[in-house]
């Protein structure tokens, strides 16, 4: 696991004024992404600093990097970060260390760095990488319990849950960056009480609050990744909204799992928060409740148990047409935390590769919906409204069982720890458009 | 649907002698693939003709194509056929028509074509396209019934089966071309009677006989593909072995479907048999049994019902270490037929896109296991041996419940129709290597 160093020093300030005290992107964060600058041109790798984006290719061309940092900046200067992700932790950490120096208050390089900055509000953010495969896990144990309870009140968790990091293959083509519209899908659904299914717009459209994981160096087909090495294969983290059409899902998912109920769209936040930036926010994997089985040896590593989990607070906000009309702000409908994940990110990587399935740089994982155990911490409307039976009441007078056209869902996330500067993930937003 | 023309004329012969009467690649077939020539170099697009491969880029450089055929040949000259697939039926058909002329007995261009031929046995075949997403369907109704019966003897088919073309997202990274070794996966399995799962090599390794479908022109995110246009979006067909670890599958698959039980490896035959080549082998979708529901309108098209199914015979052969030792040939363990698919290829495409999921050129579909209703027509060992309870007995004296290390599984397929030259798909082979 990465250790803290000077780049995490809460006292370090930047000559980019807006970075100091920035809720998302202070100099201690330095997340990676791909953007198109205000004047247009090819998409390129950049780093968020306060209200600005630093163009990595331009900074590299200006001769601001050497050695491993230069290799990383060069790999990040194209339209996708896959090559940077493939380099692994060493060059990425070297890039971070140099960027932190360059952007720190008092840096003698400021005159050479400043021309490489663009105002973020004028840039367009894209997906950070070409996604080879996208896999969605189910590691939020309270979500699994809450949704399982709706089907099996006495026995909500299936027998495999505490042994297997359950997951399924998702659709890579329909992953979009924050801000892209989300079209309500048509599909087959068979409402309770109707004799036959019909085809039309989903009536039970939902969000799912997930942590996204970007893969770094992968493994050749047939060769597993040992759990002790699995954490170091991760290139970074983001927010992920696994939009779900519950009525389509209920009808289609037996026996092979969710398909069109999920694959119409998945939204990710565009910034990749690196394992280096998150070093201060590592926590022990919460102890398993009394009676739970120990993970099998291929999923068990002492260091991973000690510091492989993350302390990241996750929020869901909802902005409806009625709230917008009344000038009311987005309403927070959930506050959750990554400590509610039953498996660490490294366990998800090691499990995915344990049978030899090859992971590639730029592959994306979803953690599964991160819900807490109590009211107000549920990562989906299915849980928050008990499948629609207990609607949300908004200050606009609107009620919500599931999402309506025009609703905007906003996820935010922050890592916090006493003595360290908080860092944010940026937003993961999407607005529901009517079905075609 | 494509109509037959001079390229299908059974009397047409080639000056490539081995093509005449060739069981797989007569001049009426002309399947597309990607190969590395004997002298090495970059992978490139080619066409199979008898025992040879025609280098499309070289033939294009020799000025043998014009117009749409030239555009197609140029798109096929790189290391993957995605660009050709994106062009759709018109240029692909023009390329076929010109290739058929060039390779026909008596072609005046023979001296310019001949230098572009390589002996296929000396070439290495690769995957024909970069696979964006791989989706596996479940359209073989006898397979669904046979496997469902092992779990639910009285009610083998789930209620959605005859309404929904059931499918799930598969893993694109681990799709390999015929001949690549298949490593037995390790994984979690919980044998009946054991209290807890353990981790180790799969004991119930199986094949699944499937038709593969390569996507041509796709659809933008959010915009469905109408059923009447869906057939024309298909670039071609292949054989696909959806290797399956039954014990891992049984333990992991609830509630989100197959994951590591399938994603350790998927083998495809390397040649893409085009819709044009298959024009004579189109048949009506077999009538649904009395009492089955009609497909919903978004899946129903008169032309597709009339001629959207395929008449392709599929075979499974098994070559074990014992057979090899005794000098015995591969043993045929199944003979099946694509008429056993409950949905047409166009219905799979239209369903996949009905909620707006975007398909891309080079996406791959598996049909689902194609089994017939009777003994000897089962596309998996799970069905043929009734889950291992009724082992296969081989002339070598060996028995097989599931696959053993060293076993080689060979799929073959042929389209046949009175009055037309039969065409083949080439082989889809894989040999089981021991678990790591």
């Amino acid at each position: 696991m990465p250790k803290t160093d000077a780049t995490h020093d809460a006292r370090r300030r930047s000559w980019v004024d807006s970075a100091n005290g920035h809720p998302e992107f202070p100099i201690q964060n330095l997340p990676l992404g791909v953007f198109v600058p205000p004047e247009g041109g090819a998409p390129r790798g950049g780093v968020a600093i306060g209200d600005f984006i630093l163009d990595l290719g331009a900074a590299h061309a200006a001769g601001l990097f050497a050695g491993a940092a230069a290799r990383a900046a060069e790999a990040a200067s194209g339209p996708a970060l896959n090559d940077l992700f493939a380099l692994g932790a060493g060059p990425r950490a070297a890039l971070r260390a140099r960027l932190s120096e360059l952007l720190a208050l008092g840096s003698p390089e400021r005159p050479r760095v400043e021309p490489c900055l663009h105002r973020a509000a004028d840039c367009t953010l894209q997906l950070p990488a070409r996604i080879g495969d996208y896999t969605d896990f189910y590691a939020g144990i309270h979500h699994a319990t809450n949704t399982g309870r709706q089907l099996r009140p006495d026995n909500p968790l299936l027998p495999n849950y505490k042994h297997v990091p359950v997951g399924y293959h998702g659709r890579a083509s329909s992953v979009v960056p924050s801000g892209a519209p989300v079209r309500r899908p048509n599909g087959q659904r068979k409402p309770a009480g109707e004799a036959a299914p019909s085809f039309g717009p989903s009536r039970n459209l939902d969000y799912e609050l997930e942590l996204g994981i970007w893969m770094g160096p992968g493994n050749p087909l047939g060769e597993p990744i040992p759990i002790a090495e699995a954490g170091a294969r991760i290139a970074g983290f983001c927010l992920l909204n696994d939009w779900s059409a519950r009525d389509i899902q209920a009808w289609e998912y037996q026996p092979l799992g969710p398909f069109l109920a999920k694959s119409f769209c998945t939204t990710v936040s565009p910034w990749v928060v690196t394992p280096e930036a998150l070093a201060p926010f590592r926590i022990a994997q919460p102890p398993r409740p009394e009676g739970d089985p120990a993970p099998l040896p291929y999923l068990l590593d002492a260091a991973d148990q000690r510091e492989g989990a993350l302390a990241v607070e996750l929020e869901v906000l909802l902005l409806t047409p009625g709230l917008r009309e009344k000038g009311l702000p987005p309403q927070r409908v959930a506050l959750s935390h990554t400590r509610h994940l039953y498996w660490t990110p490294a366990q998800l990587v090691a499990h995915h590769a344990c049978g030899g399935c090859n992971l590639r740089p730029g592959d994306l994982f979803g953690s599964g919906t991160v819900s807490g155990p109590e009211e107000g911490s549920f990562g989906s409307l299915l849980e928050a409204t008990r499948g629609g039976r207990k609607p949300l009441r908004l200050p606009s007078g609107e009620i919500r069982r599931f999402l309506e056209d025009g609703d905007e869902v906003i996820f935010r996330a922050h890592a916090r720890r006493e003595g360290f500067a908080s860092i944010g993930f940026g937003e993961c937003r999407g607005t529901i458009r009517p079905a075609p």
Side-chain angles (χ1 to χ4, degrees), chain A residues 154-403:
Chain A
D154 298 330
N155 190 19
L157 279 185
L158 290 163
N160 60 3
Y161 189 86
K162 292 179 174 176
H163 300 274
V164 182
V166 171
Y168 67 101
H169 304 295
R171 178 84 192 173
S173 71
S174 53
V175 178
V176 299
S178 181
V182 179
R183 207 158 188 190
R184 179 183 300 274
N186 289 305
Q188 279 195 44
R189 58 277 192 288
K190 185 171 169 295
E194 289 183 21
S198 55
F199 181 83
S202 169
R203 294 160 187 153
N204 296 354
L205 191 56
D206 202 354
Y207 53 80
E208 289 195 340
L209 172 66
E210 304 198 14
L211 181 73
I213 301 170
W214 291 100
M215 276 300 299
N219 56 311
L221 184 61
E223 296 186 18
I225 298 175
I227 178 70
E229 295 169 24
R233 304 301 181 95
I234 293 172
F237 299 88
C238 66
L239 284 162
L240 185 149
N241 188 338
D242 175 29
W243 303 97
S244 297
R246 302 296 178 193
D247 43 356
I248 296 173
Q249 187 176 353
W251 175 235
E252 77 171 1
Y253 92 109
Q254 289 284 13
L256 300 181
F259 180 43
L260 303 186
K262 301 277 196 174
S263 54
F264 60 95
C265 192
T266 302
T267 305
V268 292
S269 58
W271 291 109
V272 180
V273 180
T274 64
E276 289 71 46
L278 288 165
F281 310 101
R282 291 286 179 170
I283 55 173
Q285 177 67 354
R288 294 185 155 204
E290 184 82 18
D292 280 13
L296 282 167
Y298 78 100
L299 296 173
L300 196 54
D301 174 68
D304 183 51
Q305 290 294 305
R306 201 169 54 237
E307 55 187 12
L310 287 167
V312 177
E313 229 175 64
L314 306 162
E315 283 179 283
V316 181
L317 299 103
L318 188 58
L319 181 59
T320 60
L323 288 166
R324 243 183 251 113
E325 240 169 59
K326 293 197 154 71
L328 293 166
Q331 300 293 302
R332 188 161 85 184
V333 293
L335 177 64
S336 186
H337 193 283
T338 47
R339 71 169 175 271
H340 297 307
L341 293 168
Y342 196 73
W343 304 100
T344 65
Q347 286 176 317
L348 302 182
V349 171
H351 180 64
H352 204 319
C354 75
C357 178
N358 52 328
L359 306 177
R360 298 179 293 192
D363 284 351
L364 176 66
F365 294 0
S367 61
T369 307
V370 191
S371 293
E374 71 283 338
E375 201 65 52
S377 69
F378 300 141
S380 69
L381 285 175
L382 182 71
E383 296 165 84
T385 72
R386 311 296 189 278
R389 289 188 305 280
K390 187 174 164 286
L392 296 185
R393 294 178 188 283
L394 299 171
S396 52
E398 296 164 290
I399 65 161
R400 282 293 179 277
R401 293 183 163 81
F402 288 100
L403 295 170

Side-chain angles (χ1 to χ4, degrees), chain A residues 75-98:
Chain A
S77 59
L81 300 181
N82 299 67
D83 291 347
L84 174 64
F85 290 178
L87 292 178
R92 197 175 60 229
L95 179 64
R96 172 183 171 84
R98 177 63 175 153

